[in-house]
Amino acid sequence: MIRLGLTGSIGMGKSTVGAMFRKLNIPLFDADAAVHELYAPGGAAVAPMAAAFPAALKDGGIDRGVLAAAVIRDPACLKQIESIVHPLVGQARQDFLKAAETRAEKLVVLDIPLLFEGLKARGHSAAEAGIDHVAVVSAPAEQQRLRVLARPGMTEEKFAAILSKQVPDAEKRRLADTVIDTGTDMASTEAQVRALVARLTGKA
């Protein structure tokens, strides 16, 4: 089974590309969606996170806004949050992969927004992280900027702060096995996704 790591900087269209893989019936694990589930009422992260950050507990779930504010006040909180969440996301990913292997899937997609950032922090390669092929979603910088600034509550300052924490797009493109260009129309992007699936699965 081939494990395709899907990543890309903010505003590059990764969610749209992820939906294209799903449309082709390729199983996709969404790390962000997994975190949402962990923070929702009944989620595995609720109890440990509420113990560490009592103010974040709201209506039986964890309020990500409260956690974000805590990190802004004290950046050291981020390590504490990650120590709780990362193992749980890792377990959810393992469960996803095990189920896919049981079904004898040929290809699965691991949607990991900060894939290269995580690898860099741990000094790992994609292969060491169990990823066989990395696809980076990319678009021209101005297109990225316009997409991100169109989001509610986004400002130039917030955008610059987010970019400063991400591996630059040029480096991601260099490190990728495949670059999916979303700077064109949807049909062209879909064609790139179909071509990649065909190449990795041997199915045209």
Side-chain angles (χ1 to χ4, degrees), residues 95-165:
D95 293 344
F96 164 83
L97 291 170
K98 198 171 176 183
E101 281 175 350
T102 301
R103 296 193 307 270
E105 299 284 356
K106 280 192 166 184
L107 172 67
V108 294
V109 176
L110 300 174
D111 179 335
I112 309 173
L114 300 175
L115 173 61
F116 286 124
E117 289 78 1
L119 293 176
K120 198 173 182 180
R122 293 190 296 275
H124 286 174
S125 66
E128 286 170 327
I131 292 166
D132 304 304
H133 191 101
V134 177
V136 164
V137 178
S138 182
E142 183 56 20
Q143 208 161 346
Q144 174 195 27
R145 182 178 157 277
L146 292 173
R147 287 174 184 170
V148 175
L149 291 178
R151 296 181 182 186
M154 186 56 70
T155 63
E156 291 274 10
E157 291 73 27
K158 279 186 190 173
F159 178 40
I162 291 166
L163 280 186
S164 72
K165 294 188 181 84

Side-chain angles (χ1 to χ4, degrees), residues 8 39 43 55 64 66 72 76 81 117 124 130 140 143 146 152 175 177-178 183 190 194-195 197:
Y39 284 168
R64 292 177 83 158
V66 173
I72 288 168
I81 292 167
E117 289 78 1
H124 286 174
Q143 208 161 346
L146 292 173
L175 294 168
D177 297 300
T178 298
E190 280 188 344
R194 281 195 305 273
V197 169

Side-chain angles (χ1 to χ4, degrees), residues 63-85:
D63 186 325
R64 292 177 83 158
V66 173
L67 293 181
V71 170
I72 288 168
R73 283 195 307 274
D74 180 8
C77 288
L78 183 59
K79 279 203 168 17
Q80 193 177 1
I81 292 167
E82 287 176 344
S83 72
I84 295 169
V85 175

